[in-house]
């Protein structure tokens, strides 16, 4: 095929920089063979380059996808290689043409002007064009090969900005930079126009996004499923009143990365009733009906054609639900009530659940995710199976991973679909489901191990309650089979801890089993008692004859019935429920019972899961339990966000393969003392710190010195994460400074910029008090002329992925100081270590493994250990805790009013007393305070020796190799999902 030539005709632009680049007019693309094509008829362009040496300038090819894409995709699906790996990579000229095309013909903006926002959307749409080609090829290949596929269900996907990540994975960063320069723009400025996708909040969602990146990069057949939140969690503002929340506006200008699949939608039902058929079948009828519509987001792998899918669900109702007659008579609210009721399901991530309405909305969200996703998965299985449909093979083709307990309703929902829609028996449906679904536990906090009130669940999802009752009954029989019925006390304890249904009567089948067992035990006892009677006590012949009387003349039958009732009553009393306590459904227990695999996310966390949280289940099913230590994608979290350090790593490891094979980072260890490497390393860190300085000035107004140590704690605001311990340590430091002369404080303290970031949940009052306190301390310290640059405290508003991508590369010290045993894993600790940041922390979550890998001398450890926590709390309750004088000193200093007129009594008071809700220092801030501030002194000492500190930094990066999400995904694929890579040729 002869290459097309761009004609001399061009589209004029309001941007003066475009005058040096000619673009094709509407019908100005002509081939050497004379074929003319209309630019506007080709919505999606495939840009190809000839396979030539890299030193030779590539020629521009433009082919019509309507014809050529079919030929390009047909052979890869059959395993053939059509073209080399460069075949889909355009040069900068063709990229510029594509961007210009989208600026003119993709109607996101009006034709007037060509500013940064328009440049971003046009650039994103040009990238999406290329992603779609690989995306469609991947989809079709999976359909035809019909291999086992993993489906990852999560309430959160914290994606971050997509543009730089996508062009980086496509190896087009340089070409896009060149193209945008020709068009008069800077790539980084264009990329900053993108809003972070408001689909998540914390580590749970960021982990899910890292997993999708690794799944695509490693060519595993997998999809993600989530919800398309219109307003996210919230956008955080920091004002004089502390944290304030406003709605996210990330979808205000549209989302160029998503494609609405209006042809893919599924019905989702709430309320109604269950009707039993004559044949025993069940039909869920009536109630409230909505529709879940699919929006697809392509997830490209790094240096691979594999592009997997994140399918997000949005909710609506059918047009006929709009009450036109009510609207026309002025009852507008009534007219669109059903529409608003459906739409609000996907308005906000984690709506407040203090009210019944809030709880109902959250449960609706969770069920929508599960129902729509499972219906889609089942439909895909049926389509792939064709005439060879065999439900028994469903677990051999499908693995469903539940990211925490939010998607637990997958279990009863899959059973419902199989039984009520596909007409399978209970036994078949239960067997298939329990071989399909797996569960990742992310927390040991009791409040996060979800429970739902039985009345709400019964009203909202009546069919699922029936199925959950059947699952609970199945579980009880398993427990009875394991432990028997003789020891009622043991059985009571096991049922109390393990049942899915909390505070429920025993099912009739179990009561019957226990009664029969008790009767058998009584009969055995009677036989044994009779057997040991002395022969002399046996009746005489005359007595035996007297006993052979008519059965009706004896009271034996009535006595037996009375005895049966007595036994049943005794058992009923033994297993009696507490009428004062609510009936609840325990979702974590349901996840363990219905799943074939249960995994924690760090070694210490998985051990706690086995020995404490689910110890009874582990005793019953030890084979279900695994550990899968979390990881983060090295592409986003070092390669793309820290290009200066990445170049140094490539130079000193001698390869770029560390980006996909992080074990090569360990090569850095042997150069940790090399002066040349240290010099380059320090320079890269300074460049990143200067970016942080500029960012903080822009976002907060505070100007900080890049020569200070950047000390960072960024994560969700929660008492167990102990931002309060950090800020109290800063207050103590500030108090000491104020009591010294200038010379004394400069001699004792290393200059620090203490940076906080993270959101407090809108209804979490204590967490919001902590945010307010941090902001107030910053306002005082930062404006104290005596202190100057020796100490700054900055709270960065609206912490998200894009903020992290700036802060993490520029950090010197990072704080991961949760109460030991309460953090499941953490992933920000991995990101900081990967970027050469030294950590201070407790032996909690993945800190334990990070410390092992980077070396004990390169991690600042303090605080109580996980196995000590229970006794420390017990001692506190007994009044045995004696606070350190320095802790009492800092509390008094806060109460003195030095940080403003705000009353911090509720905040500081939570650290006092021995018992009571919200008091008694449950998270052991006071206990760990002396250890913490002494550890901070060691940090200052180490930072003064920059050669030592730089070596520690290098060894943290070198030791972070284990914490790649690639390693984690390989383990999931091998040990849990049983899937294999499927390479798109």
């Amino acid at each position: 095929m002869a290459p097309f030539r761009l004609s001399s005709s061009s589209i004029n632009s309001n941007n003066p920089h475009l005058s040096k680049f000619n673009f094709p007019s509407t019908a100005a693309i002509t081939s050497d063979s004379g074929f003319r094509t209309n630019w506007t008829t080709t919505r999606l362009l495939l840009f190809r380059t000839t396979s030539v040496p890299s030193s030779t300038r590539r020629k521009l090819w433009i082919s019509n996808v309507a014809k050529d894409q079919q030929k390009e995709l047909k052979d890869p699906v059959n395993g053939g290689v059509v073209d080399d790996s460069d075949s889909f990579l355009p040069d900068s000229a063709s990229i510029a043409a594509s961007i210009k095309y989208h600026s003119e013909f993709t109607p996101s903006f009006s034709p007037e002007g060509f500013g940064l926002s328009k440049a971003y959307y046009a650039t994103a749409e040009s990238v999406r064009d290329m992603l779609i080609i690989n995306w469609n090829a991947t989809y079709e290949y999976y359909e035809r090969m019909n291999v086992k596929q993993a489906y990852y269900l999560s309430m959160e996907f914290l994606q971050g900005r997509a543009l730089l990540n996508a062009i980086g994975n496509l190896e087009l960063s340089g070409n896009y930079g060149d193209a945008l320069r020709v068009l008069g723009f800077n790539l980084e400025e264009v990329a900053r126009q993108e809003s972070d996708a408001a689909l998540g909040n914390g580590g749970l969602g960021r982990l899910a996004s890292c997993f999708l990146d690794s799944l695509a990069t490693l060519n595993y057949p997998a999809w993600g499923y989530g919800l398309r939140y219109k307003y996210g969690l919230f956008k955080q503002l920091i004002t004089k009143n502390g944290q304030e929340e406003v709605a996210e506006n990330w979808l205000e200008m549209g989302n160029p990365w998503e494609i609405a699949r209006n042809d893919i939608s599924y019905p989702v039902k709430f309320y109604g009733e269950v009707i039993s058929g004559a044949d025993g079948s069940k039909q869920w009828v009536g109630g409230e009906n909505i529709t879940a519509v699919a929006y697809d987001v392509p997830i490209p792998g790094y240096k691979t054609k594999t592009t997997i899918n994140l399918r997000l669900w949005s909710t609506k109702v059918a047009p006929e639900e709009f009450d036109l007659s009510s609207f026309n008579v002025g009852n507008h609210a009534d007219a669109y009530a059903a529409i608003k009721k459906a739409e609000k399901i996907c308005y906000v991530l984690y709506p407040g659940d203090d009210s019944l309405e809030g709880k109902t909305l959250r449960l609706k969200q969770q069920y929508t995710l599960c129902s729509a996703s499972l219906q889609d998965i089942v439909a895909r299985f049926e389509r792939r199976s064709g005439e060879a449909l065999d439900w028994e093979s469903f677990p051999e083709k499908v693995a469903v991973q539940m990211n925490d307990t939010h998607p637990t309703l997958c279990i009863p929902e899959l059973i419902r679909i199989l039984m009520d829609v596909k007409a399978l028996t209970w036994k078949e449906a239960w067997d298939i489901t329990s071989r399909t679904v797996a569960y990742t536990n992310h927390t040991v906090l009791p409040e996060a191990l979800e429970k739902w009130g039985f009345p709400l669940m019964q009203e909202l999802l009546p069919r699922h309650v029936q199925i959950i009752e059947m699952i609970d009954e199945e579980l009880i029989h398993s427990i009875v089979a394991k432990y028997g019925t003789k020891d009622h006390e043991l059985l009571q304890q096991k049922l109390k801890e393990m049942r899915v249904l909390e505070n429920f009567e025993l099912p009739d089948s179990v009561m019957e089993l226990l009664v029969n067992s008790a009767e058998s035990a009584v009969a055995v006892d009677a036989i044994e008692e009779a057997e040991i009677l002395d022969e002399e006590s046996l009746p005489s012949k005359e007595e035996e004859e007297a006993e052979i009387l008519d059965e009706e003349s004896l009271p034996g039958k009535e006595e037996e019935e009375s005895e049966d009732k007595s036994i049943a009553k005794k058992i009923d009393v033994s297993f009696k429920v507490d009428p004062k306590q609510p009936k609840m459904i325990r979702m974590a227990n349901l996840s363990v019972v219905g799943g074939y695999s249960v995994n924690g996310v760090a070694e210490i966390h998985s051990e706690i899961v086995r020995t404490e949280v689910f110890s009874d289940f582990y005793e019953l099913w030890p084979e279900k339990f695994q550990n899968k230590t979390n990881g983060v994608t090295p592409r986003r979290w070092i390669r793309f966000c820290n290009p200066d350090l990445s170049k140094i790593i490539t130079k000193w490891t001698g390869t770029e393969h560390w980006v996909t094979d992080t074990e090569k980072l360990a090569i850095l260890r042997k150069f940790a003392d090399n002066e040349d490497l240290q010099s380059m390393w320090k320079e890269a860190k300074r460049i990143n710190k200067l970016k942080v300085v500029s960012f903080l000035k822009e976002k907060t107004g505070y100007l900080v010195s890049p020569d200070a140590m950047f000390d960072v704690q960024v994560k969700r605001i929660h008492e167990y994460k102990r931002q309060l311990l950090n800020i109290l340590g800063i207050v103590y430091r500030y108090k000491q400074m104020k009591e010294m002369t200038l010379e004394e404080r400069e001699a004792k303290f290393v200059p620090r910029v203490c940076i906080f970031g993270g959101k407090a949940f809108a209804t979490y009052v204590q967490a919001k008090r902590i945010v307010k306190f941090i902001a107030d301390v910053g306002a005082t310290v930062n404006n104290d002329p005596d202190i100057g640059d020796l100490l700054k405290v900055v709270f960065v508003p609206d912490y998200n992925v894009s903020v992290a991508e700036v802060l993490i590369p520029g950090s010197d010290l990072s704080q991961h100081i949760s109460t030991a045993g309460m953090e499941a894993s953490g992933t920000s600790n991995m990101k900081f270590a990967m970027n050469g940041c030294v950590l201070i922390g407790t032996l909690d979550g993945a800190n334990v493994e990070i410390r092992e890998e980077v070396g004990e001398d390169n991690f600042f450890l303090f605080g109580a250990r996980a196995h000590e926590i229970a006794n420390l709390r017990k001692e506190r309750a007994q009044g045995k805790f004696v606070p350190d004088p320095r802790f009492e000193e800092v509390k008094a200093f806060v109460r003195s009013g030095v940080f403003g007129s705000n009353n911090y009594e509720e905040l500081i008071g939570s650290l006092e007393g021995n018992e009571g809700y919200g008091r008694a220092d449950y998270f052991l801030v006071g206990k760990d305070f002396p250890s913490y501030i002494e550890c901070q002194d060691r940090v200052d000492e180490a930072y003064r020796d920059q050669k030592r500190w730089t070596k520690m930094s290098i060894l943290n990066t070198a030791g972070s190799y284990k914490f790649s999400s690639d390693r984690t995904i390989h383990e999931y694929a091998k040990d849990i999902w049983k899937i294999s890579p499927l390479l798109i040729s």
Side-chain angles (χ1 to χ4, degrees):
M1 183 179 74
F4 288 104
R5 293 193 302 268
L6 295 179
S7 80
S8 59
S9 302
S10 62
I11 298 176
N12 294 325
S13 170
N14 293 324
N15 190 323
H17 295 280
L18 299 182
S19 60
K20 56 190 173 183
F21 192 90
N22 289 331
F23 297 99
S25 63
T26 303
I29 305 174
T30 308
S31 72
D32 285 343
S33 61
F35 175 77
R36 293 179 60 82
T37 183
N38 189 321
W39 183 283
T40 59
T41 63
T42 308
R43 175 77 171 91
L44 173 62
L45 301 178
L46 168 58
F47 298 101
R48 303 175 56 202
T49 58
T50 55
S51 181
V52 293
S54 58
S55 59
T56 304
R57 179 177 176 82
R58 291 174 173 171
K59 296 180 180 179
L60 173 63
W61 293 76
I62 305 178
S63 62
N64 189 311
V65 170
K67 294 181 179 180
D68 294 341
Q69 187 180 2
Q70 286 185 331
K71 290 186 284 187
E72 293 289 345
L73 299 187
K74 188 178 295 182
D75 287 339
V77 169
N78 293 325
V81 178
V82 168
D83 208 344
D84 63 272
S85 59
D86 273 350
S87 63
F88 287 8
L89 297 183
D91 60 15
S92 58
S94 59
I95 288 172
S98 176
I99 293 172
K100 179 58 178 169
Y101 163 74
H102 281 291
S103 74
E104 296 288 343
F105 297 107
T106 301
S108 297
F109 289 81
S110 63
E112 296 85 10
F114 190 19
L116 274 172
S117 292
K118 189 172 184 178
Y120 159 66
Y121 278 88
T123 302
E125 284 155 348
S126 76
V127 176
R128 191 185 68 180
D129 285 350
M130 285 176 284
L131 294 183
I132 287 174
I133 296 166
N134 290 342
W135 193 19
N136 288 341
T138 304
Y139 178 87
E140 187 174 349
Y141 198 22
Y142 289 174
E143 289 290 298
R144 293 200 184 185
M145 297 303 291
N146 192 21
V147 296
K148 186 174 186 180
Q149 184 165 330
Y151 298 94
Y152 198 83
L153 272 66
S154 178
M155 287 294 286
E156 297 187 45
F157 286 93
L158 196 56
Q159 294 288 89
R161 291 171 176 161
L163 179 59
L164 293 181
N165 190 74
I167 63 175
N169 278 356
L170 291 169
E171 300 178 88
L172 288 172
S173 299
N175 289 3
Y176 264 89
D178 293 342
L180 285 167
R181 270 193 297 275
V182 169
L183 298 173
F185 299 102
N186 174 273
L187 173 58
E188 289 190 359
E189 290 180 357
V190 169
R192 280 197 289 271
Q193 304 308 304
E194 181 177 0
S195 298
D196 278 40
L199 300 172
N201 175 46
L204 182 83
R206 187 52 238 170
L207 178 76
S209 294
C210 283
F211 279 5
L212 292 186
D213 177 271
S214 287
L215 284 163
T217 297
L218 301 173
N219 301 296
Y220 282 112
W223 272 25
Y225 282 103
L227 295 181
R228 182 179 178 268
Y229 303 107
K230 185 174 183 179
Y231 301 116
L233 185 72
F234 57 80
K235 181 176 287 187
Q236 181 193 53
L237 306 178
I238 302 298
T239 70
K240 64 179 181 179
N241 298 316
Q243 172 181 296
E244 294 185 10
E245 305 93 20
V246 297
E248 283 271 14
N249 62 349
W250 75 289
L251 287 175
E252 190 70 17
M253 300 296 289
N255 177 12
W257 302 105
E258 70 181 12
I259 294 179
R261 304 294 195 189
N262 294 313
D263 60 326
I264 300 176
S265 63
Y266 297 97
V268 179
K269 182 185 292 292
F270 306 109
Y271 305 107
E273 60 179 334
V274 181
I275 305 297
S276 298
D279 58 353
S281 62
K282 305 288 185 180
Q283 188 177 5
W284 186 12
V285 299
E288 179 182 308
N289 298 287
I290 67 166
T291 300
V293 181
Y295 283 75
D296 285 351
V297 179
I299 309 294
Y302 179 71
K303 291 189 176 183
T304 176
K305 292 181 181 178
T306 298
T307 301
I308 64 173
N309 192 33
L310 170 58
R311 177 157 285 178
L312 303 172
W313 300 108
S314 186
T315 46
K316 66 176 187 178
V317 292
E320 52 266 27
E321 294 291 337
F322 178 71
D323 189 343
L324 186 59
S325 58
S326 292
F327 190 86
N328 285 334
V329 297
N331 295 331
H332 298 158
D334 291 343
Y336 53 73
I339 296 173
K340 290 299 180 186
K341 193 179 291 185
E343 288 179 346
K344 74 178 181 180
I345 292 173
C346 291
Y347 273 175
V348 176
L349 169 65
Y350 302 140
D353 60 353
D354 288 345
S355 65
L356 176 61
E357 291 79 7
K359 287 182 173 66
T360 302
L361 185 55
R362 276 213 193 186
L363 190 54
K364 280 185 171 183
Q365 284 185 334
Q366 294 185 6
Y367 179 61
T368 298
L369 170 64
C370 295
S371 181
S373 302
L374 262 297
Q375 290 182 72
D376 194 45
I377 291 168
V378 167
R380 287 164 59 78
F381 170 76
E382 290 181 306
R383 184 172 63 250
R384 290 181 181 183
S385 299
E387 295 181 359
L389 180 63
D390 175 17
W391 288 108
E392 180 64 24
S393 69
F394 189 80
E396 297 166 13
K397 296 294 184 180
V398 171
V400 175
Q401 188 70 39
M402 303 185 300
N403 193 27
D404 217 346
T405 54
H406 309 124
T408 302
L409 286 169
C410 279
I411 294 168
E413 174 65 3
L414 181 54
I415 293 173
R416 181 193 71 83
I417 293 171
L418 294 175
M419 289 181 66
D420 298 358
V421 182
K422 306 304 176 184
L424 272 64
T425 66
W426 155 256
K427 184 178 179 181
E428 292 169 332
W430 172 242
D431 175 68
I432 291 168
T433 300
S434 60
R435 292 189 291 122
T436 299
V437 180
Y439 162 53
T440 298
N441 173 273
H442 282 278
T443 184
V444 300
L445 296 176
E447 65 267 26
L449 295 172
E450 284 187 304
K451 295 182 181 181
W452 288 102
F454 179 76
L456 171 60
M457 183 80 80
Q458 189 173 43
E459 181 183 18
L460 193 70
L461 302 170
R463 179 57 177 140
H464 295 76
V465 165
Q466 293 179 344
I467 293 170
I468 290 170
E469 288 173 338
M470 296 168 75
I471 294 171
D472 184 65
E473 186 171 350
E474 193 82 25
L475 168 64
I476 295 172
H477 282 287
S478 296
I479 295 171
V480 170
K482 171 75 173 178
Y483 299 103
T485 58
K486 288 185 178 181
D487 189 339
H488 280 194
E489 188 174 332
L490 173 65
L491 193 57
Q492 280 178 295
Q493 182 265 319
K494 295 297 181 184
L495 293 178
K496 181 179 179 182
E497 296 296 324
M498 299 174 71
R499 285 191 67 182
V500 175
L501 300 176
E502 182 179 75
N503 201 37
F504 271 73
E505 298 82 2
L506 289 174
D508 291 342
S509 66
V510 179
M511 282 294 296
E512 183 179 347
L513 182 66
L514 292 176
V515 170
N516 291 339
S517 176
E519 289 175 350
S520 298
V522 170
V524 168
D525 290 343
I527 291 171
E528 290 177 349
E529 184 178 345
E531 287 178 347
I532 62 172
L533 291 175
D534 189 87
E535 283 186 10
E536 294 180 359
S537 66
L538 292 175
S540 63
K541 186 176 180 181
E542 290 79 7
E543 290 172 328
E544 286 180 349
E545 290 176 352
E547 288 179 3
I548 304 175
L549 299 173
D550 187 81
E551 195 173 288
E552 294 180 0
S553 67
L554 293 175
K557 187 173 182 181
E558 293 178 3
E559 290 175 1
E560 287 175 7
E561 290 176 353
S562 175
E563 189 174 351
D564 288 349
K565 291 179 181 179
S566 175
I567 292 171
K569 185 176 181 181
K570 184 177 179 181
I571 291 172
D572 188 49
V573 170
S574 298
F575 293 89
K576 192 173 181 61
V577 301
D578 186 348
K580 296 180 181 179
Q581 297 299 317
K583 293 183 175 182
M584 306 294 289
I585 298 177
R586 299 190 279 202
M587 306 306 277
N589 288 24
L590 178 56
S591 295
V592 176
V593 177
Y596 67 88
S597 172
V598 180
N599 72 279
V601 290
E603 287 180 359
I604 186 174
H605 170 240
S606 294
E607 180 64 19
I608 292 171
V609 165
R610 287 190 297 265
T611 61
E612 296 180 27
V613 181
F614 297 126
S615 58
D616 293 303
F617 287 106
Y618 179 66
E619 188 176 290
L620 182 61
W621 296 307
E623 70 282 356
K624 281 192 180 187
F625 289 80
Q626 301 186 34
N627 173 59
K628 293 290 173 278
T629 297
N630 283 344
V632 300
T633 167
R635 271 75 63 186
R636 181 181 288 270
W637 290 113
I638 183 165
R639 175 66 180 83
F640 302 146
C641 76
N642 199 343
D644 294 291
L645 190 62
S646 295
K647 291 173 185 175
I648 295 169
I649 293 171
T650 297
K651 175 181 173 62
W652 287 83
T653 59
T655 178
E656 282 193 340
H657 292 162
W658 62 267
V659 181
T660 51
D661 181 8
T662 51
E663 288 192 5
K664 287 183 168 47
L665 291 174
I667 296 171
L668 293 171
R669 284 174 173 158
K670 62 185 179 183
F671 302 115
D673 289 308
N674 185 286
E675 291 184 3
D676 290 337
L677 173 58
Q678 289 204 359
S679 177
M680 297 170 70
W681 201 270
K682 288 168 65 177
E683 180 59 26
K685 179 65 72 174
R686 183 168 182 82
I687 290 171
N688 288 319
K689 291 178 75 170
L690 288 170
K691 292 178 182 177
V692 174
V693 171
S694 176
F695 176 81
L696 294 180
K697 177 65 176 173
E698 176 189 349
K699 294 296 182 182
T700 70
Y702 289 126
L703 182 62
V704 302
S705 170
D707 297 321
M709 177 200 300
F710 284 10
D711 173 354
V712 181
Q713 186 181 19
V714 283
K715 50 186 77 245
R716 178 168 52 96
I717 309 297
H718 196 290
E719 288 173 280
Y720 91 83
K721 293 180 183 288
R722 299 202 296 190
Q723 287 91 352
L724 185 55
L725 174 60
N726 186 351
I727 192 63
L728 289 176
I730 293 168
V731 168
Y732 182 74
R733 189 182 188 90
Y734 176 63
K735 182 177 183 297
Q736 284 186 300
M737 288 181 177
K738 294 292 288 182
E739 294 168 351
M740 295 177 177
T741 65
L742 175 62
E743 292 76 16
E744 287 173 334
R745 68 175 70 112
E746 286 183 347
K748 178 174 175 58
F749 296 107
V750 165
R752 286 205 198 197
V753 177
C754 300
I755 302 170
F756 292 83
K759 296 179 180 180
F761 190 66
T763 58
Y764 191 173
V765 176
Q766 192 73 331
K768 295 179 78 169
R769 290 185 182 124
I770 293 171
V771 173
K772 167 67 172 165
F773 181 46
I774 294 169
D776 286 350
V777 171
T780 300
V781 172
N782 299 345
N783 293 293
D784 189 330
D786 294 339
I787 303 303
D789 285 338
L790 202 55
L791 181 63
K792 297 290 185 186
V793 180
V794 182
F795 195 103
V796 179
D798 205 36
Y799 178 68
N800 58 22
V801 174
S802 295
V803 174
E805 289 172 333
V806 176
L807 293 182
I808 291 174
S811 301
D812 295 302
L813 180 76
S814 180
Q815 305 221 20
H816 305 274
I817 57 177
S818 52
T819 311
M822 303 200 75
E823 183 74 86
S825 168
T827 53
S828 67
N829 45 7
M830 302 169 185
K831 297 163 196 167
F832 279 101
M834 199 172 276
N835 282 271
C837 183
V838 183
L839 275 56
I840 179 173
T842 53
L843 278 183
D844 195 28
N847 283 1
V848 177
E849 294 162 76
I850 291 175
R851 182 169 175 261
E852 290 173 355
E853 297 298 334
V854 305
E856 294 180 6
D857 294 338
N858 305 305
F859 183 105
F860 293 102
L861 177 66
F862 76 94
R865 307 303 195 254
H867 67 272
E868 301 173 327
I869 301 301
N871 282 336
L872 289 171
R873 287 178 178 146
K874 184 178 179 181
E875 289 176 5
R876 178 82 183 223
Q878 294 170 347
K880 296 179 180 179
F881 173 69
V882 179
D884 187 280
R886 292 167 291 185
F887 187 58
E888 295 300 288
E889 184 183 327
V890 78
K891 289 192 297 180
F893 188 59
V894 172
R895 284 174 162 140
S896 71
V898 67
F899 300 114
S901 59
N902 190 60
N903 183 356
Y904 292 110
E905 189 56 42
E906 288 294 333
L907 181 63
I908 302 303
S910 71
L911 305 174
E912 299 174 333
N914 296 325
E915 56 186 354
Y917 182 75
R919 300 182 67 82
D921 193 13
Y922 182 79
F923 300 99
L924 305 181
V925 172
K927 172 64 181 177
D928 280 350
F929 184 79
S931 175
Y932 177 68
I933 60 174
E934 289 160 11
C935 189
Q936 289 285 15
D937 289 339
R938 299 199 303 274
V939 171
D940 277 7
E941 180 186 354
Y943 194 76
R944 283 193 184 92
D945 183 349
Q946 278 295 292
K947 183 175 177 61
R948 175 190 170 191
W949 188 272
T950 304
K951 178 179 179 180
M952 294 172 70
S953 174
I954 294 169
L955 290 174
N956 265 267
T957 298
S960 68
Y961 66 89
K962 174 182 176 180
F963 305 102
S964 166
S965 51
D966 294 352
R967 186 265 313 153
T968 313
I969 284 300
H970 275 313
E971 293 179 3
Y972 271 95
K974 176 178 176 289
D975 302 332
I976 298 179
W977 303 330
K978 313 296 183 186
I979 60 174
S980 301
L982 190 62
L983 185 63
I984 312 296
S985 300

